[in-house]
Amino acid sequence: MHRRINITLPDETIELIDQVIEKGDSPEERLRQRSRFINEAVQYYIAQKTLANLREQLKEGAIQRAERDLGLVEEWFDLEEELWHRNEK
């Protein structure tokens, strides 16, 4: 399903779009090409923003868990060290 909306873009932006779209034989085809290009650009932008947000959430989660994880390592280190030396004998 498609819905028609009206947007306003600077002339420079429209000129840039027209440089990269396939040239249509009619004004209607040119409008369809512009619409297709703008749709693809918006979809790509949203995908990139979503990916960047996910990366930031993962980074924040890792930072929040780092102190806890370090504490667990410190708790278990001595026990593992002792078991390691027992198994060497």
Side-chain angles (χ1 to χ4, degrees):
M1 180 176 149
H2 290 79
R3 189 182 323 175
R4 180 178 294 274
I5 64 167
N6 293 319
I7 61 170
T8 303
L9 297 172
D11 287 336
E12 301 83 32
T13 303
I14 294 171
E15 290 170 10
L16 288 171
I17 292 170
D18 286 345
Q19 289 175 13
V20 296
I21 64 171
E22 295 180 23
K23 306 298 184 231
D25 294 333
S26 66
E28 294 82 17
E29 181 60 26
R30 177 170 237 120
L31 288 174
R32 280 193 288 275
Q33 293 290 344
R34 284 178 181 163
S35 292
R36 187 174 300 125
F37 178 84
I38 292 169
N39 180 55
E40 289 174 7
V42 169
Q43 295 290 330
Y44 178 80
Y45 179 80
I46 291 171
Q48 293 303 308
K49 290 293 273 185
T50 301
L51 188 58
N53 289 340
L54 178 58
R55 284 185 182 131
E56 187 61 31
Q57 289 174 359
L58 290 171
K59 178 181 173 183
E60 289 174 8
I63 290 169
Q64 290 173 358
R65 289 185 303 276
E67 188 173 320
R68 179 204 66 190
D69 293 348
L70 183 58
L72 288 170
V73 167
E74 289 171 349
E75 286 178 24
W76 286 93
F77 181 79
D78 291 335
L79 179 59
E80 287 187 16
E81 193 72 15
E82 181 181 328
L83 289 172
W84 179 260
H85 288 297
R86 278 189 200 169
N87 288 335
E88 283 184 336
K89 295 178 182 180

